Amino acid sequence: MSTRRFALPIGKFIALLVAIVVALAAPAVAQDAPVVDAPTGRVRGVADGKTRVFRGIPYARAPVGDLRWRPPVVLPRWPDVREAAQFGAACMQPASPFAQYAAMSEDCLFLNVTAPAQAHKAPVLLWIHGGSLVNGAGSEAIYDGARFAGQGIVVVSINYRLGPLGWLAHPGLSAESPDNISGNYGLMDQIQALRWVHRNIDAFGGDPDNVTIAGESAGALSVLYLMAAPEARGLFHRAIAQSAYLITVPELRSGTYRDWPDAESTGVSLAHALGARNPAALRAMSAEAIIEGTARTAYFPLGNIDGHTLPHQLIDVFDRGEQAPVPILAGFNEGEIRSLRFLLPPAPADAETYTREIRARYGDLADAFLNRYPPETMGESMLETTRDAMYGWTAERMVASQTAIGEPSFLYYFDHGYPAADDGGFRAFHASEIPFVFGTTGSTPAYWPAVPDTASERHLSDAMLSYWATFAHDGTPHARGEAVWPPYGPDRAYMAFEEVPRLHNGPPNRFALHEAVVCRRRGQGGVAWHWNVGLISPPLPRRSAGCD
């Protein structure tokens, strides 16, 4: 019997060897990948150390194309195991070098779940991303929930419809609705995500009866919307609002505010700018054309008071004690406007002009204003005016309102700087607290001033993460070895996150002044309050009963 030598080219041999290794490894990988059988369907995620991660789970279907601008559609249970290793598409938004996603789509109502491996009835934190209701996604790296999972928290991050696709109101759209309303579709998405959590999160180890909603900037504005929305009542049990802004909400179709057009009129103007006379013409346009065209207009998406999804002005809801009766943790940053300078008016020529303008606009409150925001430091005064009038006043207004209805409420002030931010003039800039809260200081975007990897930065991040996680656990923020954080109360207690957490009383936001300004505006009627403060404030009426 003769033998023949078997020869295989080295390239093919290596390819065969790789194929064998992959084939042998595949069953083990599949076996290790966690599968959850939730009411919505089975999903296969990934095991990441002591956590389980499930990405790109659809919590609803966004009506698209000819069906767009309708409430989210509840999905039936899917029959097979759904792979959940990759993030779902981000919602449609303007292209930006600062945020690049693998995919964008109108079909974008996805959420992500990060849970401790052995979670059972764990507290749930539902994170709502910011981005002016125009951009962003729950998949961004700084929202990674792994560190929260290490604290025993199940983190859910969500997408919701953005820009005109999520917030457009129009009389033609209202006519199609059984409630004669339109807009607020992004808010409807958020409420549907909370319903999904209520129904499904137990399968992932979370407790549907212990849910905290949290967000930053537009995400924090969304937290306020949800606190005021009747349909969200009972779906969450605590709230965290980071750099929220309690501005006047446009009404759906009333002309109450001379300087703040109603939502339907705004929608008609946008449709006209896009060359569309009615909803049918808008629906005939591609999502890309709508987004790109809107970016060339002055359209600014916001919720609207439709008497249904949002029944009343937010501030009226809170004043009447009709908001969700839940504990709140809220705060703002020292440098909110350092990265948002487009919110500032042009600087006057000199200090004399500054003083004259403030006196003309603030009348009998001008002395108090100039004492806090002096002309001698005009640049800083302008930054602090807008910061305090919007973000500082809002944060304290929220904790004061919840305190008034008997809910434990906690106020913070983020005043932490580090070399890259300070050198660029961005100390404690808008959103800079987020990676400290999530423990993701090493995963900030490329354009972000890099946080140094030092023991002191890690220490502050660990403390903030612990305060936030314990608040999500039981409504009381605390961190081992750190300052005790009492409720706001009559001393106006707040935690300042500086180099380390420090407890103080009386935050530096001139709350009484800005509360009086808003009170007078409301009494005056017809004038909205938003970023029209300081040098661009409409003249205030004289002293009003109950305002000063």
Side-chain angles (χ1 to χ4, degrees):
M1 181 177 179
S2 63
T3 61
R4 291 169 48 184
R5 301 180 66 183
F6 180 76
L8 186 68
I10 187 65
K12 291 185 178 181
F13 174 76
I14 292 174
L16 178 63
L17 183 61
V18 169
I20 292 172
V21 170
V22 169
L24 291 174
V29 171
Q31 186 175 6
D32 291 342
V35 175
V36 164
D37 190 358
T40 194
R42 290 177 295 165
V43 291
R44 180 183 291 114
V46 295
D48 186 5
K50 296 181 179 180
T51 65
R52 301 186 304 165
V53 182
F54 303 84
R55 304 183 180 101
I57 303 174
Y59 66 85
R61 180 182 297 115
V64 303
D66 291 343
L67 300 175
R68 65 170 69 109
W69 294 301
R70 289 186 171 95
V73 177
V74 177
L75 293 168
R77 179 181 169 89
W78 48 79
D80 301 318
V81 177
R82 183 183 179 92
E83 299 298 332
Q86 305 297 324
F87 290 116
C91 291
M92 296 298 298
Q93 55 195 275
S96 169
F98 303 122
Q100 298 179 341
Y101 305 105
M104 287 194 294
S105 172
E106 281 194 87
D107 184 12
C108 63
L109 300 186
F110 299 102
L111 56 75
N112 316 293
V113 179
T114 302
Q118 304 301 320
H120 176 69
K121 294 295 182 183
V124 179
L125 182 105
L126 183 137
W127 178 257
I128 307 169
H129 70 78
S132 302
L133 304 180
V134 172
N135 48 42
S139 57
E140 295 182 19
I142 55 171
Y143 308 146
D144 188 311
R147 291 290 308 280
F148 269 112
Q151 299 280 325
I153 306 293
V154 174
V155 175
V156 179
S157 61
I158 67 171
N159 294 349
Y160 55 94
R161 282 174 283 178
L162 301 168
L165 297 176
W167 303 92
L168 178 72
H170 189 283
L173 295 174
S174 297
E176 299 174 356
S177 162
D179 298 308
N180 194 27
I181 60 176
S182 59
N184 292 331
Y185 305 107
L187 178 57
M188 295 177 195
D189 297 341
Q190 295 167 9
I191 295 171
Q192 183 57 40
L194 280 167
R195 292 188 180 120
W196 186 97
V197 167
H198 185 75
R199 182 171 178 237
N200 291 278
I201 205 63
D202 182 67
F204 296 84
D207 184 355
D209 295 320
N210 190 3
V211 176
T212 298
I213 56 172
E216 184 271 342
S217 193
L221 173 64
S222 297
V223 167
L224 305 189
Y225 287 162
L226 290 167
M227 292 179 72
E231 292 185 358
R233 196 60 49 88
L235 296 176
F236 61 93
H237 312 90
R238 278 174 286 283
I240 297 174
Q242 300 169 210
S243 301
Y245 41 102
L246 181 57
I247 61 177
T248 304
V249 181
E251 296 178 348
L252 178 61
R253 61 176 63 92
S254 169
T256 299
Y257 298 97
R258 296 188 299 271
D259 58 342
W260 206 234
D262 67 74
E264 285 189 345
S265 296
T266 299
V268 169
S269 296
L270 176 61
H272 178 76
L274 295 176
R277 299 184 61 182
N278 52 44
L282 284 169
R283 287 172 173 142
M285 298 175 65
S286 70
E288 292 82 1
I290 292 171
I291 293 296
E292 292 171 5
T294 300
R296 295 190 291 269
T297 73
Y299 175 80
F300 186 77
L302 285 169
N304 73 75
I305 304 304
D306 60 10
H308 181 78
T309 312
L310 289 176
H312 307 289
Q313 281 293 337
L314 297 182
I315 198 167
D316 292 337
V317 171
F318 283 93
D319 276 358
R320 293 197 291 256
E322 296 173 353
Q323 74 274 25
V326 299
I328 191 169
L329 186 157
F332 66 108
N333 296 0
E334 187 279 337
E336 296 280 8
I337 313 301
R338 296 186 191 281
S339 55
L340 301 174
R341 291 176 183 266
F342 62 89
L343 296 177
L344 295 177
D350 49 43
E352 181 180 351
T353 304
Y354 173 90
T355 301
R356 185 172 61 252
E357 288 291 333
I358 295 301
R359 290 202 177 281
R361 296 169 187 279
Y362 282 82
D364 60 300
L365 294 179
D367 285 340
F369 187 103
L370 292 167
N371 180 60
R372 176 61 184 85
Y373 309 107
E376 292 80 11
T377 55
M378 187 168 57
E380 285 298 306
S381 291
M382 291 175 63
L383 291 169
E384 292 173 5
T385 293
T386 305
R387 177 200 70 191
D388 291 350
M390 295 309 308
Y391 300 102
W393 171 75
T394 296
E396 190 160 359
R397 194 59 153 74
M398 290 301 96
V399 296
S401 295
Q402 295 308 98
T403 299
I405 62 171
E407 294 294 340
S409 304
F410 302 87
L411 182 65
Y412 75 85
Y413 178 54
F414 186 75
D415 187 16
H416 178 68
Y418 54 88
D422 290 350
D423 292 348
F426 294 111
R427 179 183 179 88
F429 59 93
H430 186 68
S432 62
E433 86 289 352
I434 294 175
F436 287 89
V437 168
F438 276 84
T440 53
T441 54
S443 302
T444 55
Y447 61 88
W448 204 283
V451 182
D453 184 17
T454 64
S456 61
E457 302 298 331
R458 291 192 296 271
H459 177 92
L460 180 62
S461 179
D462 289 346
M464 295 186 71
L465 174 64
S466 182
Y467 283 123
W468 264 243
T470 52
F471 179 77
H473 267 284
D474 57 22
T476 303
H478 59 86
R480 181 177 298 178
E482 303 296 342
V484 174
W485 191 348
Y488 170 74
D491 293 332
R492 300 173 65 210
Y494 71 97
M495 188 66 72
F497 294 104
E498 301 165 346
E499 286 71 26
V500 296
R502 294 188 175 94
L503 182 67
H504 298 287
N505 294 325
N509 61 359
R510 199 66 176 181
F511 177 74
L513 170 64
H514 298 294
E515 176 69 11
V517 169
V518 174
C519 183
R520 291 192 190 187
R521 289 256 183 270
R522 295 171 69 193
Q524 176 186 25
V527 180
W529 61 94
H530 42 278
W531 292 275
N532 54 347
V533 297
L535 293 165
I536 52 175
S537 172
L540 281 175
R542 293 187 177 275
R543 186 183 303 273
S544 302
C547 287
D548 302 294

